[in-house]
Amino acid sequence: MKIEQLYTSCLAQGAYYIESNGEVAIIDPLRETQAYIDKANSNNAKIKYIFETHFHADFVSGHVDLAKNTGATIIYGPGAETTYEIHSAKDNEEFKLGNVTIKALHTPGHTLESTTYLLIDENGKHHAIFSGDTLFLGDVGRPDLAIKSDLTKEDLAAMLYDSLREKIMPLADDVIVYPAHGAGSACGKNLSKETVGTIGDQKKTNYALRADMTKAEFVKEVLDGIAPPPQYFAKNAMLNKTGYDTFETVLKTGNIPLSPEDFEAMANHEEALVLDVRRESEYIKGHIPNSIFIGLHGGFAPWVGALITDIKQPILLVVPEGKSEEAVTRLSRVGYDNTLGYLEGGIESWISAGNDIDTLESISAEEFADRVKQGGVNILDVRKDGEYSSMHLEDAQHFALDFINENMNEVSKEKTYHIHCAGGYRSVIAASILKARGFHNLVDIAGGFGAIKKTDLPTTGFVCPSTL
């Protein structure tokens, strides 16, 4: 028996490769699936099953493409309805994979069809669970994504309480926990940075598994402090239910080099968004006017999903040399399949063609401190709510970058804003969005709050985020 966790940091997502006696199961695959096929082929094995723990909202799964290319059966939990062929498992149904068995444990709560898969080894021992978004390390899945007219988040939270206590907590303490996500995912509140644990450890450390916790207490604690879900979640869940264009088609149509002339003509004709995915330092020095910055080196795909509201938006890319395929791939992971091409030769070719560029003023934390002391500085903090509540500059205005589209009326084009986040990535994203909408009096603070704290500017007292 072989188990491999295939973790993608950008999405904080874990897919799983399980192999036994020449047969393979893939759990929660990414959009691009060739790597799974190659891995199986290299081991002279065949992919037999594709297990989906639930209808994912934070990424587009590769299950449809993988099934088409391998003939493997897609398995969802009870009640799952799709427009393509699946096997909807019954609770406690078992699936043979070589010499091992995978048992479906229906664990509704995060979503109605959510299912945990229990791996039983060759000797009949319970070896591991693949818990999807039902159980994370340090947290559990948010129960507010599958609300219906007759089903509230409180109803789903109550289901999750029962699922954890009836299906997962009775398992032996040494059973390994392989969750679908780790720290950084918006599918829970306080996920651990660890990506593998045990049932026993979670019983000791996970607040949601306290033995003396009542259902009412669980519902209250699980729902407390949940931020609104990113706008793309519902759209990704629908794609996972209804299917999508093949990844090969998306890559073929999106990874096309365009001359500056063709790039500009297509941007105008298709009303395409120009997305600059270079480093923030490069964007600051020079970028195409009205382009949006979201760098590949950060949490690229989730930020695209949170900030670009139209999932079918035509997109043109400005990329570092050799990074066009990566950019198209990572966009497709969250369902942004309408990439039209990239600027061949990068920003240098744009400049050589005689086109205008724009810049963004960026200053050090020390210079920022000097300006604040002189008075009249408008400070805009775009960190998350919890970061701001934990500690912030005393005179800062705040709204989280996640919800900048809903907060545009809180800023004025007549004012100059000095913008900061924690380290400098998100502030440049925010500035690029504001610039594209006609806000030109903007100053980025290099190094963000991490650098600002080292100055003598007054801040609020530190409050541990876990106590908020």
Side-chain angles (χ1 to χ4, degrees):
M1 178 177 66
K2 176 181 180 182
I3 303 171
E4 187 170 350
Q5 182 184 67
L6 305 168
Y7 199 78
T8 303
S9 296
C10 178
L11 297 172
Q13 189 266 345
Y16 296 92
Y17 177 99
I18 308 168
E19 181 185 323
S20 175
N21 196 25
E23 294 185 336
V24 173
I26 306 294
I27 297 180
D28 295 339
L30 279 184
R31 181 77 180 271
E32 64 276 19
T33 59
Q34 191 58 45
Y36 308 121
I37 297 171
D38 292 344
K39 186 178 291 291
N41 288 342
S42 68
N43 294 331
N44 295 315
K46 179 177 175 58
I47 299 176
K48 182 179 183 180
Y49 296 121
I50 304 160
F51 290 98
E52 290 287 348
T53 55
H54 63 291
F55 290 123
H56 303 284
D58 59 309
F59 72 100
V60 178
S61 178
H63 56 314
V64 176
D65 277 354
L66 190 56
K68 286 179 181 177
N69 293 331
T70 63
T73 301
I74 300 172
I75 297 172
Y76 272 100
E81 296 181 359
T82 64
T83 60
Y84 49 86
E85 186 174 351
I86 64 168
H87 177 88
S88 184
K90 298 180 178 64
D91 189 22
N92 294 314
E93 185 173 354
E94 296 184 348
F95 301 87
K96 295 298 295 183
L97 185 78
N99 298 326
V100 304
T101 300
I102 297 176
K103 185 175 183 179
L105 306 177
H106 188 208
T107 49
H110 175 64
T111 63
L112 290 175
E113 79 289 342
S114 284
T115 296
T116 295
Y117 295 102
L118 172 63
L119 177 62
I120 303 170
D121 70 15
E122 300 93 331
N123 300 314
K125 183 180 184 300
H126 292 175
H127 179 78
I129 57 169
F130 300 86
S131 55
D133 286 20
T134 295
L135 176 64
F136 299 129
L137 303 187
D139 204 354
V140 292
R142 58 190 300 163
D144 63 328
L145 300 182
I147 297 171
K148 301 179 183 297
S149 59
D150 60 343
L151 194 66
T152 67
K153 59 187 178 182
E154 288 80 10
D155 293 331
L156 285 161
M159 291 182 191
L160 184 56
Y161 176 89
D162 291 336
S163 293
L164 292 166
R165 278 149 182 80
E166 294 173 6
K167 299 295 182 66
I168 290 180
M169 291 177 70
L171 296 171
D173 285 354
D174 64 349
V175 171
I176 299 168
V177 179
Y178 291 112
H181 294 291
S185 170
C187 294
K189 294 183 297 184
N190 191 36
L191 283 68
S192 170
K193 293 180 180 180
E194 302 299 321
T195 61
V196 180
T198 66
I199 294 287
D201 287 342
Q202 288 309 294
K203 287 179 182 177
K204 295 175 184 176
T205 62
N206 192 321
Y207 75 97
L209 301 190
R210 293 201 311 268
D212 61 348
M213 190 181 230
T214 67
K215 184 179 291 189
E217 290 171 337
F218 176 90
V219 170
K220 182 179 184 299
E221 291 190 39
V222 165
L223 295 177
D224 183 51
I226 295 181
Q231 62 86 32
Y232 73 104
F233 269 28
K235 300 167 187 176
N236 275 200
M238 186 56 64
L239 284 172
N240 283 320
K241 292 179 183 179
T242 61
Y244 41 74
D245 290 336
T246 66
F247 173 70
E248 288 74 15
T249 297
V250 173
L251 191 59
K252 182 178 180 180
T253 57
N255 191 27
I256 298 174
L258 298 169
S259 68
E261 295 76 18
D262 291 341
F263 188 93
E264 184 175 20
M266 187 168 286
N268 293 329
H269 184 266
E270 300 295 333
E271 298 183 350
L273 182 150
V274 177
L275 182 61
D276 193 322
V277 304
R278 299 173 297 154
R279 293 270 174 179
E280 56 262 35
S281 59
E282 296 171 310
Y283 180 88
I284 285 167
K285 292 177 183 177
H287 55 267
I288 295 174
N290 297 320
S291 61
I292 300 299
F293 164 79
I294 305 177
L296 276 176
H297 63 286
F300 175 70
W303 281 120
V304 167
L307 299 171
I308 301 176
T309 55
D310 182 1
I311 202 167
K312 297 181 179 180
Q313 169 70 51
I315 294 173
L316 290 166
L317 294 168
V318 179
V319 298
E321 181 69 27
K323 292 291 187 178
S324 59
E325 182 172 333
E326 178 185 342
V328 175
T329 297
R330 290 172 67 179
L331 285 167
S332 75
R333 288 175 181 169
V334 284
Y336 289 78
D337 290 354
N338 199 11
T339 304
L340 305 178
Y342 66 93
L343 179 61
E344 188 173 21
I347 198 72
E348 292 78 11
S349 70
W350 181 263
I351 295 171
S352 297
N355 294 308
D356 293 335
I357 62 168
D358 203 351
T359 59
L360 173 64
E361 183 181 0
S362 183
I363 62 174
S364 69
E366 292 76 16
E367 184 176 347
F368 169 63
D370 290 340
R371 292 188 185 186
V372 172
K373 292 170 187 175
Q374 292 170 18
V377 172
N378 299 297
I379 305 167
L380 185 59
D381 183 336
V382 297
R383 295 176 299 156
K384 292 183 180 294
D385 292 347
E387 294 173 283
Y388 176 82
S389 299
S390 176
M391 179 187 285
H392 60 267
L393 289 168
E394 288 184 350
D395 297 325
Q397 179 183 348
H398 170 258
F399 59 71
L401 172 62
D402 311 53
F403 305 106
I404 191 171
N405 292 310
E406 291 82 12
N407 290 287
M408 295 299 295
N409 61 346
E410 295 187 19
V411 288
S412 169
K413 294 179 181 178
E414 307 306 315
K415 295 181 179 180
T416 296
Y417 291 96
H418 290 68
I419 307 175
H420 79 82
C421 58
Y425 177 79
R426 287 173 288 174
S427 59
V428 178
I429 297 176
S432 73
I433 293 172
L434 290 169
K435 281 173 65 68
R437 297 182 185 179
F439 293 78
H440 297 299
N441 303 315
L442 305 170
V443 183
D444 172 66
I445 313 304
F449 196 66
I452 292 170
K453 286 192 296 184
K454 297 176 182 178
T455 71
D456 58 357
L457 290 177
T459 65
T460 60
F462 175 75
V463 179
C464 180
S466 65
T467 66
L468 295 173

